[in-house]
Every structure is written in C-alpha cells, then in structure tokens.
Amino acid sequence: MRKMVLPLLSVAALALAGCNSSPSQEAGAGSPANTASAPTVKVPSEVSGTISLRAGSVQPSPKATMVINLVDVSSTAAGAQPLASKSVVPVGHFPQSFQLSFDPTQVKPSDLYVVKVVLTDGDRHYSMPIQAPVLTKGYKNVVSISLVSEQTPGEKLLSEFKAEQAQLGAMKVSHGTKLEKDASRGWQLFRKDGKVQFIRELVDYVDKRFTSTDFAYKDGKPWVIVQESRAGGRNGKVVSIDRAGWADNGTLVLKEHQVGKDVQELDSDAAAKLQKEADEILSIATHGKNK
C-alpha cells in the first residue's frame, strides 16, 4: 500500500502548482492580454481659415473670380479631384474667411492635403507664395493664406519698355524733321549695335493738336508704343495717353487708353493705327531702309 501513496502525492503537487501560476506566466509579453489598443485619430469634416492680400498687391476688380480647393498633392493622387471646392463670385474685399466641408472617410492619413486658392482678374493672376497644408502629418484644419498679385503680360512689357528707355543715353542718336501739309514732324532715332531700337517723334498739327510718341522696335517691328496727346499745342493740357505693345508671337498684350486717372482698354483699331504710325516713321527716319 505504501508504494501507491507516493505517486498520488506527486500528482496532487503538480496540480496545485498549475492553479497558482499567474496570467503573465501563461501568456507571452507580446500576447493580446498585455497590448493596449491604439487610439483612433478623428479626422475633422471641415477646414477653414482666412485669405488676405500681401501688402502692395493690386486689389482685384469686381470682375475677379476666386476658387478655393482642398486637394491631395501626394504623388499617388496625381489627377485626383479636389476633396472639396468652392467658387466665390463676386470676390469682394480682403481679408475674408472661408469654410470647406468634406467627407472625412475620404482622407488618407499618409497623404498630404493643401488648400489652394486660384484668384484671377482678367489678365492678372494671384499666386500663393506659401503652401497651406492641412489635416494630416500634424497639420491643423485652420489656415491663413496670403495671396500676391502678379504682373499682367502688358505690365511686364511696359516694364521692359521703361528699362529700354533708361538706356537711350548710351545709344547712337540721329535727328530729322519733315514739314507736311497739316503737320510738322521732328524725331530722334536711337540705334544699338547698328539696329533701330527707339524713335521719339514730336508732331505739331495745324489744328493745334500735339503728340509726343515713343516707338520701341524689336527685330525691325513695332514692339511697344506710348503716345501722349495734347490739346492747344506743345504746352497744352494732356488729353490722353495710349499704350500698345505686342508679344513675340504678335499678340496685342499691352492695350491702355488713359484719360486723367481713368485707364480703359485700348481697342484693336486704335492699336493698329499706332502700329501703322510706327511703320511709317521708321520708313521716314531711315529713308526706306527700315534699319
């Protein structure tokens, strides 16, 4: 009988040891019993902010239009539609606030989202010097956007024209006059590297009108023209200033008719007339050589 008691006691001891073991001894360190669930980041359903114009920017006219888009700019989202979009017409005054609502389930945490503002006013465009990221990668859903007005093609051309004017003193100059039935003409012709760059023409008309015109040329063709018209002769009051200029492809991009401080668009017929005058004075001043 004593030989059977010992094995039974051993079995009982093993059973007691199993009952006293802790959960950490039963499960490994990486088991679900010890892993805390990661918190869920809630994506907002709206982005908002303010849009302002940087100091010195041209205020848009009542004809301006503005579109605000929330877009995914990640390389994997190229060509994707905006997550949200809003058009503002009329644009109104700046600064101004905005709000864009969207479906938060469409937001991918690993992608980069930005608010893009497209403001256009005729030939003038406005740019965003600094991007406006939102939503993901630690960025908030409230932004401040600053816009800068860019020069129009016509303004760029006029700026280049004025830079050319500033170089006239370094060019070779010749003079000429011509008496006509209804007007008396005088001009200065400026050459650089043997090519006509500029002609300044003064015309006294018998009806007491007077014009002072700067003609700039590029490759022998009229490039930019600025004509000042006066009433009552050379010392009379300025009536108007017309400006016309053409891009390299021949498109009329500078087209201004100014009376006082009011600047309107120069019509195509008036621009064509100035272009014809530029060709005529070039022919007269160069004796038909046009160079």
Side-chain angles (χ1 to χ4, degrees):
M1 293 294 292
R2 294 179 64 185
K3 291 182 180 178
M4 294 179 63
V5 171
L6 291 174
L8 288 173
L9 290 174
S10 299
V11 172
L14 290 172
L16 288 172
C19 291
N20 292 330
S21 61
S22 65
S24 61
Q25 291 173 323
E26 291 179 354
S31 67
N34 277 341
T35 304
S37 58
T40 302
V41 178
K42 185 178 179 180
V43 177
S45 60
E46 181 183 274
V47 294
S48 61
T50 58
I51 303 171
S52 60
L53 294 182
R54 184 170 290 184
S57 292
V58 179
Q59 292 289 330
S61 74
K63 297 180 180 179
T65 60
M66 183 167 66
V67 178
I68 309 169
N69 290 322
L70 173 61
V71 293
D72 187 341
V73 293
S74 305
S75 58
T76 55
Q81 292 295 314
L83 205 61
S85 184
K86 180 180 182 179
S87 296
V88 181
V89 180
V91 171
H93 298 285
F94 291 91
Q96 58 181 267
S97 59
F98 73 91
Q99 291 180 332
L100 293 174
S101 299
F102 54 92
D103 180 1
T105 63
Q106 299 298 313
V107 176
K108 301 175 182 178
S110 60
D111 284 5
L112 178 62
Y113 296 86
V114 300
V115 176
K116 285 188 175 182
V117 178
V118 180
L119 175 59
T120 55
D121 186 11
D123 291 337
R124 189 182 307 285
H125 295 266
Y126 293 74
S127 61
M128 290 177 55
I130 302 175
Q131 276 197 334
V134 289
L135 298 176
T136 59
K137 302 185 182 296
Y139 294 107
K140 299 181 179 181
N141 63 325
V142 180
V143 291
S144 295
I145 295 173
S146 179
L147 299 177
V148 177
S149 61
E150 299 178 351
Q151 282 187 317
T152 66
E155 288 172 341
K156 291 179 181 178
L157 207 64
L158 188 59
S159 179
E160 293 172 6
F161 168 80
K162 290 179 179 179
E164 188 74 13
Q165 272 186 321
Q167 300 300 318
L168 292 183
M171 298 183 192
K172 184 178 180 180
V173 60
S174 60
H175 305 261
T177 59
K178 184 179 181 182
L179 184 62
E180 299 176 343
K181 180 180 178 181
D182 59 350
S184 175
R185 298 177 182 272
W187 63 84
Q188 292 177 303
L189 184 147
F190 299 84
R191 286 187 174 90
K192 183 171 67 176
D193 299 329
K195 296 181 179 180
V196 176
Q197 301 292 314
F198 215 90
I199 296 177
R200 177 166 289 164
E201 181 190 40
L202 306 178
V203 183
D204 273 306
Y205 293 91
V206 293
D207 60 2
K208 300 300 182 181
R209 289 183 298 115
F210 177 84
T211 59
S212 173
T213 311
D214 283 348
F215 301 95
Y217 299 84
K218 184 177 286 188
D219 298 326
K221 297 179 181 179
W223 173 47
V224 178
I225 303 169
V226 178
Q227 184 174 84
E228 181 181 277
S229 299
R230 295 176 178 267
R234 183 186 299 263
N235 298 318
K237 181 181 178 181
V238 175
V239 176
S240 64
I241 302 174
D242 290 336
R243 304 178 184 91
W246 295 264
D248 292 341
N249 62 3
T251 303
L252 179 66
V253 294
L254 174 60
K255 37 190 174 181
E256 295 180 354
H257 174 67
Q258 180 176 348
V259 178
K261 294 183 179 181
D262 181 31
V263 180
Q264 303 174 354
E265 184 172 307
L266 183 71
D267 63 60
S268 57
D269 289 341
K273 180 176 178 293
L274 289 174
Q275 193 175 39
K276 182 179 179 182
E277 290 179 12
D279 288 331
E280 288 175 349
I281 189 61
L282 179 63
S283 179
I284 292 171
T286 61
H287 305 289
K289 297 180 180 179
N290 293 347
K291 61 181 182 177

